[in-house]
Amino acid sequence: MPRRTAYGPGTPCWVDHITVDLTGAKQFYGDLFGWEFTRENSRGYHLITLRGEIIGGLGPSPMGPAFGSSWNVYLAAKDLGHTGAEVGRLGGRIVMGPVPAGENGRLCLAVDPSGAAVGFWEGGRDEGVVLVDEPGALCACELHTSGRQAATEFYRNLYDDAPLVIRPSARTGWVPFFGTGAGTVAAALAAGARPLESGLLADPLGAVFGLTTLN
């Protein structure tokens, strides 16, 4: 069972699904991957687990249907104050935070110069996703953007040697990829997901995620 206990600065370390339909999201991903959901706080945020190990988070959209549903990717940060200042200096924009996440750490949300939303996580007790590189677990995160040059320069200057994957695409946004078991794609489509380009799917609520085959 691959487990991850630490993340270097700039490494994708956490993902969460913010949705207009918590019940629908739980049903879709629970059936697809065997995920379980534990309510973490009074605002309706849940931890996602697989065989008792943390996979990510699930929470309600703060703006209802107008906001829609999406997967969010967070990069590890050791000092959110410094990271936020650098984001602004390099042409990005902080849109929320930093705010505390209980006793676990602090987070902030930003928009990079290519227009992609990205989060930053400063772990206090927990550094991020624990279970990785298994069917149903997080395997990779990629930035898909039509502004690849601007995004590459931004992240390279923000984090010198972070292992980030940036791909040219008409679709702009960070995408989490989860390990695929036998029949996962067919099951997702049967449950209402839509196929997109490059191995991507949109779940029944419109949130984009990727599947990757594990050997």
Side-chain angles (χ1 to χ4, degrees), residues 10-210:
T11 306
C13 66
W14 184 255
V15 295
D16 62 17
H17 185 276
I18 302 303
T19 180
V20 298
D21 183 358
L22 281 174
T23 300
K26 289 180 183 179
Q27 183 73 50
F28 176 78
Y29 289 103
D31 290 347
L32 188 64
F33 294 128
W35 290 352
E36 296 182 334
F37 307 89
T38 303
R39 185 162 177 149
E40 177 75 357
N41 60 39
S42 62
R43 296 184 297 277
Y45 195 83
H46 293 66
L47 291 181
I48 305 171
T49 59
L50 180 64
R51 297 188 298 280
E53 299 286 1
I54 296 174
I55 295 294
L58 171 73
S61 168
M63 298 175 62
F67 184 82
S69 299
S70 66
W71 277 100
N72 302 307
V73 173
Y74 298 77
L75 308 182
K78 299 303 182 184
D79 182 344
L80 271 189
H82 174 73
T83 298
E86 286 295 284
V87 166
R89 184 181 70 82
L90 295 170
R93 177 168 52 92
I94 299 292
V95 297
M96 186 189 80
V99 296
E103 297 179 353
N104 294 324
R106 299 192 303 160
L107 64 87
C108 69
L109 298 176
V111 176
D112 71 26
S114 77
V118 60
F120 298 95
W121 171 252
E122 178 189 306
R125 185 174 59 194
D126 300 317
E127 290 209 7
V129 170
V130 174
L131 182 66
V132 296
D133 298 332
E134 286 197 358
L138 184 69
C139 294
C141 294
E142 297 180 354
L143 173 57
H144 293 200
T145 176
S146 58
R148 186 181 184 185
Q149 181 175 350
T152 299
E153 292 178 357
F154 172 77
Y155 290 105
R156 182 180 295 146
N157 288 321
L158 189 60
Y159 295 111
D160 291 336
D161 55 358
L164 301 179
V165 178
I166 302 175
R167 300 194 186 279
S169 173
R171 185 182 308 278
T172 295
W174 279 91
V175 181
F177 284 75
F178 302 101
T180 304
T184 304
V185 174
L189 297 177
R194 294 183 293 108
L196 305 173
E197 78 279 2
S198 305
L200 305 184
L201 297 174
D203 72 21
L205 300 166
V208 177
F209 68 102

